[in-house]
Amino acid sequence: MNSLNVTIRMLGADDGQVLESVADDVFDNAVERHLTMEFLADPRHHIVVAMDERGVVVGMASAVHYLHPDKPNQLFINEVGVSGPFQRKGIGARLMAALLTVGESLGCTEAWVLTDTDNVAARSLYEGLVAGTQEQTSVMYSFPLSAGSGVAVGGESVTNREVVHSRLIDADPGRVFDAISDPGRLARWWGPNGFSSTFHAFEFKRGGKWTLTLHGPDGTDYPNENVFVEIVPQRLVIIEHVSEDHHFVLTITLEQDEGSTLVRWEQVFDTAAHKDEVAPVVLKANEQNLDRLEAEVMKSAE
C-alpha cells in the first residue's frame, strides 16, 4: 500500500458513512455514529479526512468556526490525527491546509490550535505551517463536564443517570421528523398509552418554549414545561423538561438505516437516585411513547 496515495476529502452532512471505516490511532476514541451525525449536521463544524485506496480513513483534522461579540470570525482547530503507518508523509500538513482554506473561505481572520508542550510531532506540524517562531504565552486548563467526561457534579456518571431506548421505524428520517415537528401530530402521540395532551405554547426552534398539559386516563392533569435546547431538521431534537422535582433532558436522534430510521431516545436525569425512583414508570412509558410515534408515522403513509 502506497502511503502517499491518499485522497483528501471534506465531509458534508450526508457523509457519515465515511467514518465507518477508520484506521487505528486516527481518533482518540471509537467513532460513534450518532455523534458523527450530530457533528456533520452542524454547519459550523468541519472535518477533512485522508482516505487510502481502500476508502479507509487514515487521517483527519477537525475544526469549529465560531463567532464572538467582540471578535471577528475565527477557526478553532480541534484536533489532527494520522494513523501510524501514514505519519511523517506530509498528510497532516495537507489536512491542515484544507482546513485553513475552509477558514479563509468563511472569512475567518485567524485559525488557532492548542497542543501539549511535550507533543513533539504536533508542534513540528504546526510550527511548519507558520512563518517564524511564535512565543508561547498561553496556558490551557481542562474542566471535565458531565456530558463530555461522564462525570457529573457529585461524581455520578451519566450512565447511571440515563435511560436509553431505540426503535427502528420503517420510514425515512424526514417522515419521522415531521411527526415530531408538527404540533398537531405530536399531540396525537406524545405521552404513554391512554394519555392525551393540550398544547399551550409550541415554539419549535432552538430556545423555544413548549408548554402543555398531559391528561391522564383517570382524569388527572399534569402540567408540563419544556424548552427546545437544539433542533437539527431530520436528525436531532433535544428537549429540556423544566421541573424542580422531575428535571431531565431528552435527546431524540434520527439516523438513516437504509430505507428506515433508527430512533434513539435518551433521557438523562439529574441524579441516579431520581432515575432509579422513576425508572419503573419511565421505562414502560417511553416504550409506549415510541409505539405511538411509530403508529403516527405509519399512519402518514396510508
Side-chain angles (χ1 to χ4, degrees):
M1 185 68 64
N2 184 353
S3 61
L4 294 180
N5 190 16
V6 299
T7 301
I8 304 298
R9 175 178 173 183
M10 182 67 64
L11 299 189
D14 298 322
D15 292 329
Q17 75 283 354
V18 172
L19 296 182
E20 293 179 2
S21 181
V22 179
D24 294 339
D25 302 324
V26 173
F27 289 88
D28 294 332
N29 303 296
V31 174
E32 297 189 31
R33 295 182 66 184
H34 71 284
L35 295 178
T36 298
M37 179 177 64
E38 185 175 348
F39 181 97
L40 293 177
D42 190 325
R44 294 192 184 279
H45 289 172
H46 309 280
I47 186 167
V48 60
V49 299
M51 303 170 64
D52 69 9
E53 296 168 324
R54 303 164 298 169
V56 176
V57 173
V58 297
M60 71 86 197
S62 62
V64 178
H65 165 217
Y66 71 97
L67 307 175
H68 199 271
D70 67 338
K71 296 179 180 66
N73 293 1
Q74 296 187 353
L75 190 73
F76 171 61
I77 309 298
N78 183 44
E79 62 179 306
V80 180
V82 178
S83 182
F86 292 82
Q87 292 177 3
R88 304 184 186 280
K89 306 295 183 182
I91 294 174
R94 292 171 62 188
L95 292 167
M96 281 290 297
L99 274 186
L100 296 177
T101 299
V102 170
E104 291 176 347
S105 69
L106 293 169
C108 296
T109 60
E110 183 180 28
W112 59 284
V113 64
L114 293 171
T115 190
D116 296 327
T117 56
D118 59 355
N119 191 334
V120 177
R123 293 186 64 176
S124 176
L125 168 63
Y126 302 140
E127 290 171 5
L129 296 171
V130 296
T133 301
Q134 297 182 341
E135 182 179 358
Q136 304 303 314
T137 59
S138 300
V139 178
M140 183 182 74
Y141 295 91
S142 177
F143 301 93
L145 301 176
S146 172
S149 65
V151 179
V153 174
E156 293 187 323
S157 72
V158 172
T159 303
N160 291 337
R161 297 183 289 115
E162 70 178 354
V163 295
V164 180
H165 306 255
S166 61
R167 179 69 57 89
L168 189 65
I169 297 180
D170 187 19
D172 62 58
R175 285 173 53 197
V176 179
F177 185 79
D178 287 345
I180 299 172
S181 60
D182 183 327
R185 299 184 64 190
L186 179 61
R188 287 200 292 265
W189 66 265
W190 189 257
N193 293 344
F195 281 72
S196 60
S197 57
T198 301
F199 288 10
H200 310 298
F202 187 79
E203 302 169 347
F204 195 69
K205 61 183 181 180
R206 180 188 292 183
K209 293 183 179 180
W210 174 28
T211 58
L212 69 147
T213 300
L214 274 175
H215 309 291
D218 61 355
T220 303
D221 287 338
Y222 302 91
N224 280 249
E225 180 179 351
N226 306 287
V227 175
F228 291 108
V229 177
E230 185 63 84
I231 297 172
V232 179
Q234 301 185 28
R235 294 177 181 272
L236 174 73
V237 179
I238 302 178
I239 303 165
E240 179 182 8
H241 181 71
V242 182
S243 171
E244 291 186 2
D245 56 1
H246 186 50
H247 177 266
F248 61 83
V249 175
L250 171 65
T251 300
I252 304 171
T253 58
L254 310 178
E255 182 178 346
Q256 179 107 26
D257 190 335
E258 297 182 349
S260 301
T261 300
L262 180 63
V263 180
R264 178 182 169 89
W265 183 286
E266 180 184 12
Q267 199 171 6
V268 180
F269 298 91
D270 291 346
T271 66
H274 183 52
K275 187 267 287 190
D276 292 341
E277 177 186 352
V278 300
V281 174
V282 166
L283 291 172
K284 181 178 180 181
N286 286 347
E287 287 296 326
Q288 293 176 355
N289 233 333
L290 287 168
D291 289 342
R292 298 180 72 185
L293 167 61
E294 184 173 12
E296 176 63 32
V297 171
M298 302 314 297
K299 184 188 304 182
S300 67
E302 297 175 355

